[in-house]
């Protein structure tokens, strides 16, 4: 690559940026090895100023293969646009191996670096004009990932009910982080769902640009949990799939409006799944499609993966809830991922 850099990168940071290579013909997916110390305050401090600036959707679930492997499937739904208002994407698979911590791979959304440099609107890292020096911040922009102990984490958008505000915890003595930073810390330091819960409770979570999200976390033992910070209080709900409504609350509306237009009719089912409830948000149809696909068995332990399917079947289930762009800000699946925990 021949990047035009604005940040004065040296040593391992320069090596990180120079490792970038394209993985597909269209230029939507890249790969990067992370060699620099992203725990440096020079990296951590500015990242809190970044954030996901639009609505999104996304879907995730956990299952098992016939030979006992745990699989986590995830669709990343978020439309991006270039300067000509054409759909684009700029995802980078990042491999990290921080000293004394767990190795991991994650898929990051480099498009959010537009907040630092407008050249990222172009949706390309190898066009000769995009300032690739900002890629040193990518470890903190992971949308989903898997570490060497089998822990995965994925971020999914949440709507905010009128009268409520996005998370902003202010407990004295706790460091404030945004959710994508917490995801990085989970991948680097947690081997189980229980460890991820403990880590999440040790931080103050603050919102980015007034938006809220929840995290779907799974581990190699088949445990899964949905982390939500509604009313500035962390709740962890044991459920084997997740879309874009609160699973720890029971206040789903009869219909979901987007810009005053009816987008999705909500019909409350007779069956209650897992520990989860049906809270405010959207994505109910995708949720129940996933539930039917993973064939949850009544009476098994909460949070345990309870269906059996191979990797092709898992990809097909993701395909069944993937979204084409329909003009809405919650449509368009950028990529699908199946992680073998």
């Amino acid at each position: 690559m021949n990047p035009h850099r604005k940040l004065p990168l040296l040593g391992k940071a320069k090596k990180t940026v120079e490792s970038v290579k394209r993985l597909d013909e269209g230029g939507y997916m890249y790969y990067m090895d992370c060699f620099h110390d992203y725990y440096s305050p020079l990296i951590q401090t500015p990242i809190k100023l970044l954030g996901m600036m639009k609505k999104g959707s996304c879907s995730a679930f956990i299952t098992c293969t016939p030979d006992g492997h745990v699989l986590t499937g995830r669709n990343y739904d978020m439309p991006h646009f270039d300067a000509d208002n054409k759909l684009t994407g700029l995802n980078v698979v990042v491999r990290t191996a921080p000293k004394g911590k767990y190795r991991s791979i994650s898929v990051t959304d480099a498009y959010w670096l537009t907040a630092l440099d407008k050249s990222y609107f172009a949706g390309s890292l190898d066009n000769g004009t995009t300032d690739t020096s900002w890629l040193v911040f990518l470890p903190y922009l992971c949308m989903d990932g898997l570490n060497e102990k089998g822990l995965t984490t994925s971020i999914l958008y949440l709507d905010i009910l009128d009268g409520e505000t996005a998370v902003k915890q202010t407990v004295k003595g706790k460091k404030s982080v945004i959710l994508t930073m917490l995801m990085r810390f989970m991948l680097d330091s947690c081997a189980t769902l229980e460890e991820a819960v403990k880590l999440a409770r040790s931080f103050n979570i603050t919102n980015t640009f007034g938006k809220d999200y929840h995290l779907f976390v799974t581990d190699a033992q088949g445990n899964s949990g949905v982390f939500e910070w509604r009313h500035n209080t962390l709740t962890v709900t044991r459920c084997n799939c997740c879309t874009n409504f609160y699973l720890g609350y029971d206040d789903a509306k009869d219909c979901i409006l987007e810009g005053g237009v009816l987008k999705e009719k909500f019909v409350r089912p007779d069956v209650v799944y897992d520990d989860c409830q049906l809270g405010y948000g959207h994505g109910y149809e995708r949720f129940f499609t996933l539930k039917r696909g993973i064939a949850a068995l009544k009476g098994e332990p909460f949070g345990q993966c309870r269906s059996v399917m191979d990797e092709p079947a898992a990809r097909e289930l993701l395909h069944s809830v993937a979204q084409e762009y329909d003009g809405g800000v919650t449509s368009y699946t950028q990529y699908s991922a199946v992680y073998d925990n």
Side-chain angles (χ1 to χ4, degrees):
M1 300 185 70
N2 184 25
H4 173 260
R5 299 193 184 98
K6 294 181 181 178
L7 291 179
L9 301 182
L10 299 172
K12 292 182 178 180
K14 181 180 179 181
K15 185 178 180 182
T16 291
V17 171
E18 290 179 343
S19 73
V20 173
K21 60 183 179 182
R22 188 194 290 190
L23 297 179
D24 67 333
E25 292 183 1
Y28 291 96
M29 187 71 74
Y30 294 80
Y31 173 87
M32 186 180 82
D33 270 308
C34 185
F35 299 101
H36 66 290
D37 178 18
Y38 52 82
Y39 278 83
S40 164
L42 295 176
I43 302 296
Q44 285 195 350
T45 301
I47 202 68
K48 294 180 182 180
L49 302 177
L50 297 179
M52 288 152 283
M53 296 168 282
K54 301 195 298 284
K55 288 186 177 181
S57 288
C58 306
S59 305
F61 71 92
I62 186 172
T63 187
C64 293
T65 66
D67 57 357
H69 284 226
V70 175
L71 299 180
T72 300
R74 179 315 201 266
N75 282 345
Y76 179 57
D77 302 344
M78 180 78 70
H80 290 326
F81 303 92
D82 63 16
D84 297 322
N85 207 34
K86 295 180 179 178
L87 280 170
T88 186
L90 193 54
N91 302 298
V92 183
V93 179
V94 175
R95 184 174 68 174
T96 59
K99 186 176 181 180
K101 299 182 182 297
Y102 299 137
R103 296 170 296 164
S104 70
I105 56 171
S106 59
V107 185
T108 65
D109 189 346
Y111 187 88
W112 299 122
L113 292 172
T114 298
L116 296 174
D117 191 297
K118 298 301 182 183
S119 64
Y120 283 83
F121 269 126
S124 175
L125 297 181
D126 49 8
N127 56 6
T129 59
T130 300
D131 176 15
T132 58
S133 62
W134 300 103
L135 296 178
V136 294
F137 294 104
L138 278 189
Y140 291 113
L141 292 177
C142 58
M143 301 296 102
D144 45 77
L146 165 73
N147 72 14
E148 65 177 290
K149 293 297 183 179
L151 184 111
T152 80
T153 179
S154 305
I155 190 167
L156 302 93
Y157 181 83
L158 285 171
D159 299 302
I160 299 177
L161 186 64
D162 287 345
E164 297 183 8
T165 57
V167 60
K168 188 176 182 181
Q169 295 179 313
T170 57
V171 178
K172 289 184 178 181
K174 292 185 179 181
K175 179 180 179 180
S176 293
V177 299
I178 61 175
L179 278 179
T180 55
M181 291 184 73
L182 177 61
M183 292 172 68
R184 170 51 50 198
F185 299 154
M186 285 181 176
L187 291 174
D188 288 354
S189 304
C190 298
T192 64
L193 177 65
E194 289 74 15
E195 290 179 7
V197 173
K198 183 178 180 180
L199 182 69
R201 296 192 187 282
S202 71
F203 290 104
N204 281 324
I205 304 301
T206 189
N207 71 81
T208 53
F209 295 96
K211 306 297 183 183
D212 255 358
Y213 306 84
H214 54 189
L215 303 183
F216 184 64
V217 180
T218 70
D219 64 25
Q221 288 72 48
N223 299 300
S224 57
V226 180
F227 293 53
E228 298 171 345
W229 286 263
R230 199 175 189 184
H231 310 303
N232 288 325
T233 301
L234 172 61
T235 60
V236 180
T237 302
R238 300 301 182 94
C239 192
N240 56 14
C241 68
C242 181
T243 56
N244 305 104
F245 59 87
Y246 289 101
L247 289 165
Y249 299 84
D250 187 24
D251 62 339
K253 301 300 181 182
D254 290 335
C255 63
I256 308 303
L257 295 178
E258 185 178 288
V261 179
L262 179 63
K263 297 291 290 185
E264 181 179 354
K265 181 69 177 178
F266 172 69
V267 178
R268 188 174 295 275
D270 295 328
V271 180
V272 178
Y273 298 100
D274 305 327
D275 280 343
C276 72
Q277 302 181 74
L278 302 174
Y280 182 74
H282 67 281
Y284 302 101
E285 290 182 359
R286 285 181 283 113
F287 179 81
F288 293 120
T289 298
L290 290 175
K291 276 296 182 185
R292 288 190 294 269
I294 58 181
L297 300 177
K298 194 173 182 179
E300 291 195 6
F302 292 138
Q304 299 290 323
C305 59
R306 56 194 66 182
S307 62
V308 177
M309 66 180 76
D310 56 17
E311 290 187 24
R315 292 195 295 270
E316 183 62 29
L317 183 55
L318 288 175
H319 179 72
S320 71
V321 292
Q323 302 185 85
E324 298 289 342
Y325 182 63
D326 63 3
V329 294
T330 62
S331 63
Y332 187 59
T333 299
Q334 286 202 45
Y335 67 82
S336 300
V338 176
Y339 294 105
D340 186 335
N341 297 61

